[in-house]
Amino acid sequence: MRRWPFLIPFVCMTAGMLLFTFNGSYCGFTAVLAVFLCLVLSCFLSNLTLFAICTSLFYFLWGHYALQPWVSPELTPFSIQKSLSESPIVIEGVISERPSISPDGSRVTVQVERLFSGDRPTPVTGLLLLHVSEGDVTLTRGDRIRFLSRVTVPHRLGLPGEFDYSRYLAYRGVSAIGRVNTQNDIVLIRAAAVETTQRTIDKWARALGDSIRHSIPDERNSSVLTALLIGDQRRIPRDLADAYTRAGVNHILSISGFHIGVIAASISILLLWTLTRCEYLLLHWNVRPLAILIALPIMLFYLQLTGNAPATARSVIMLTVFAAALCVEREHDAINTLLLAAFALVAIYPPTLFDVSFQLSFLSLWGILLVVPVIMKNTATIKSRVVRGLVQFIAVSIAASCVTLLPVLFTFNIASLNGIITNFIIVPLLGYGAVLAGFIALPLIVIFPSLASLLLWPAASLVAISNKFVMWCTSLPVITFYGITKSDISFFLMFMAGMTFLRGRFILLITGVLVPICAIVLHVYAASHSDGQLHITMLSVGQGESMLVTFPDGSNMLVDGGGYLHETGNDFGQRFLAPALGALHVRRIDRMIATHSHPDHSGGLPFVIKNFEVGEFWSGSDVSSDVLNALGKRVIPRRTIAAGDEIALPGQVTITVLSPAKGGQYSTHGDEYSVNEQSLVFRLKYGSFSIIFCADAGFVAEQQMLAGQNKLKSTVIKVGHHGSRYSTSERFIESVHPEIALISVAAENRFGLPSSRIIDLLSSKGIRTYRTDQDRTIELVTDGHTWAVSTPYKPD
């Protein structure tokens, strides 16, 4: 506690918050207050152990309680969560944060004040996140607006490894979401209804951004320069942002410690030069800390101007501590300063702990402080300052890239070590050149706009060079991995903590070797473990379908990949399917089946084909062009199967294909042929257990199967076409005679699926039904004789 006084408070508070996120329960405020009183009393005793115990317990309980106002707020009769609506209603409120603008639309956070039902207003409280689908938003914080929208609460699909969007919104205090098409659908009731200093700063930030965009017509250059100077990254085109990620230099686009250090150092040097011109100040003051102290208010204002991001706030806090140490002529310890900054941010606003920018900024600097001093100590014999500076730059680049590798893979499933090399180009171009030139131009935008444009031109030129370079870097390899788990991150943090806070070569050796070995052993065990049973997992992919079958020998088969019904600009496989497979410890797809070409079944497959090793690809004659294009870029054996094919698989598992017929199409009495009737339908048998996969097959395909000599009776039926009334006839159900029915369907979907006819039919036959809209991801396990169904992701 004497050496690292902020270690116990930060670690214990973090542990309490993590425990709350795992079990959802929290201690009462009374318990926190009682332990705090015990802590105060322990201060008057000379027992350091008792004081340490009370300190640890207090911060642990504080952390356990701290997230409650965000995650489990007390609802009042006027809470917006109680005003959810199926139909659009008129909403009025005040914009509470700076609107976020991006190429995919805008987001406006609104403090709702009232809802209108007819002409009668109803008072309501709570934050609503309004999505504006198209165009820019010129409104700002403090404006009172009115708009027409549905009020909804986001729900998780219920997939393993899924990003918890509702929890993310809760940490921001958002209780509900709404949507409008453009700003034209928003009525400005009163500008500056709530006047604050932050509103004025937001308007300045908007004006500065508009001036940069006006001076630099090229959107790609202006968006990057705006991100560097004002922290507005969302306007960067998606392909360019991805290029910076693949190049391993996307860190340069966020205003963090490096930017603050460069700007603060430049301001301090300028102030120091100015102060040293005055003989009186030189005689009576220590001008070096004075220059830094004068720079602090400028950096605090810059923090507010750039949106008060956690990484920027961490840097400003550390700069403040450094300035204070200079003033009192005390040495500062970098690790303690980092702990102080992290603890202060989390104590002031507890959800900061779960902010990705805070985590990566904290970890990268931690790695730099841990690794670089060791390297520089071992290169102390190098006399050349240039060579030592180069070694230090390389050490910083390697430390930051390697230390954040696992956390970045855990969060984004893609990482790059290319930054170790590309930093040599990008950091001088953007970190020093564009940032300094642009920062000098910022105040001149207001005073001398024409002069500011001249200074912005070299900054934009450097950005243009950087953009071309990173676009070239898109051909460089990146690391894509979907298997990093929370256990891996825990082991990683244990390793970092051991290397930082433990002493003694033997203890450090044990920590440095034992912790990584344990992590690797767990990974190998999870990947190779097979319990000798058949596992069938119906993934909850919304209004789509995807099922993972794991055979008794440990091999697997992916049946369809879910997807979006319409083009959204997002990749379903990247956002949902691949993370789910990674969370289920799937590193390779031994067999992939595409039942038909509809995007809600095949949309997620191309990304999996490109990023996972695939052993075989099976399909009928109907395959989507996107899947074919992905297959064309990989050497993957293909097999076209049709009714009558019987395939033996390891572990005494057999697959019998029931539909479509070989070499032909079903007659549809003159109607246009339906893609759904081409769906691949097959029956999987293991011992006395069997399941029939019906894909989107309808009455026509069912009739053809009934007319054949196929054995349809099965233990389980995967109901056709998401429970549509045009599939799963009564005669077909009677022939299959299942005990269990599985339906893949989205919650509150606009198609009204599953149809009431299907639900009534299954109920009348005594068939137990599981649905992904209610039960989320469904897991069925059988040894070939007995079976069990579980719904581990079903909401409470």
Side-chain angles (χ1 to χ4, degrees), residues 163-181:
F163 174 67
D164 194 343
Y165 184 57
S166 57
R167 179 63 64 91
Y168 165 78
L169 292 180
Y171 287 152
R172 294 181 54 191
V174 174
S175 304
I177 56 177
R179 185 177 296 275
V180 297
N181 290 327

Side-chain angles (χ1 to χ4, degrees), residues 744-787:
S744 182
V745 65
E748 302 175 0
N749 64 86
R750 59 188 175 90
F751 306 103
L753 298 176
S755 73
S756 56
R757 182 189 73 80
I758 298 297
I759 297 301
D760 292 342
L761 173 62
L762 297 174
S763 177
S764 67
K765 302 295 183 182
I767 301 170
R768 188 170 182 180
T769 303
Y770 292 89
R771 305 161 41 172
T772 56
D773 61 331
Q774 296 178 351
D775 302 306
R776 305 302 191 257
T777 293
I778 303 160
E779 296 182 356
L780 189 152
V781 182
T782 176
D783 59 2
H785 303 286
T786 60
W787 45 265

Side-chain angles (χ1 to χ4, degrees), residues 89-101:
I89 57 175
V90 177
I91 305 167
E92 184 178 310
V94 175
I95 298 176
S96 61
E97 294 181 10
R98 182 183 303 179
S100 172
I101 317 296

